[in-house]
């Protein structure tokens, strides 16, 4: 019983990331830590039910921005800074 109560008390986050022809919802789902999420896709009605039974809240703009920055850092290998906001794509062939 204690374990069930603890699981119910954890905050559950969602972030809608896409829509497939109005039939499916693509979204990120996290439990307790919005930086650790899984990408999911569900039919519209199932998504609504999923949100209801999990009592989810939407990630804040700051949480979304953090996740986007971390994804860019992983993808491109460069972390943008205040002095250099430009991201260089290291996946391209060497231009020199």
């Amino acid at each position: 019983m204690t374990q069930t109560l603890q699981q119910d008390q954890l905050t559950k986050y969602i972030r809608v990331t896409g829509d497939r022809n109005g039939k499916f919802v693509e979204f990120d789902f996290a439990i307790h830590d919005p930086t650790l999420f899984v990408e999911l896709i569900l039919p519209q009605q199932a998504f609504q039910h999923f949100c209801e039974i999990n009592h989810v809240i939407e990630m804040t703009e700051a949480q979304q921005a953090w996740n986007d920055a971390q994804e860019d850092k992983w993808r491109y290998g460069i972390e943008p800074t205040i002095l250099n906001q430009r991201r260089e794509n290291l996946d391209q062939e060497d231009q020199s």
Side-chain angles (χ1 to χ4, degrees):
M1 177 87 171
T2 305
Q3 184 177 4
T4 303
L5 289 175
Q6 289 175 346
Q7 289 176 350
D8 289 343
Q9 293 173 353
L10 296 175
T11 304
K12 298 171 186 164
Y13 300 91
I14 61 157
R15 174 188 185 187
V16 176
T17 57
D19 177 306
R20 297 222 176 157
N21 300 325
K23 294 182 181 180
F24 295 95
V25 179
E26 297 173 342
F27 64 102
D28 298 337
F29 176 67
I31 299 174
H32 182 64
D33 182 354
T35 64
L36 299 173
F37 59 89
V38 294
E39 298 173 350
L40 300 172
I41 184 168
L42 288 172
Q44 288 278 353
Q45 192 172 18
F47 172 73
Q48 295 299 325
H49 183 67
F50 178 87
C51 291
E52 289 172 15
I53 63 173
N54 284 293
H55 307 287
V56 301
I57 62 171
E58 287 196 44
M59 290 183 196
T60 65
E61 291 291 325
Q63 291 166 334
Q64 292 179 34
W66 172 261
N67 287 346
D68 289 343
Q70 294 304 307
E71 185 176 325
D72 285 350
K73 186 169 75 172
W74 175 82
R75 179 173 288 143
Y76 302 118
I78 295 177
E79 185 172 4
T81 64
I82 293 173
L83 299 175
N84 182 12
Q85 293 291 321
R86 192 177 79 170
R87 296 183 182 107
E88 298 174 22
N89 191 343
L90 298 179
D91 292 341
Q92 303 295 323
E93 290 184 24
D94 189 5
Q95 300 295 324
S96 54

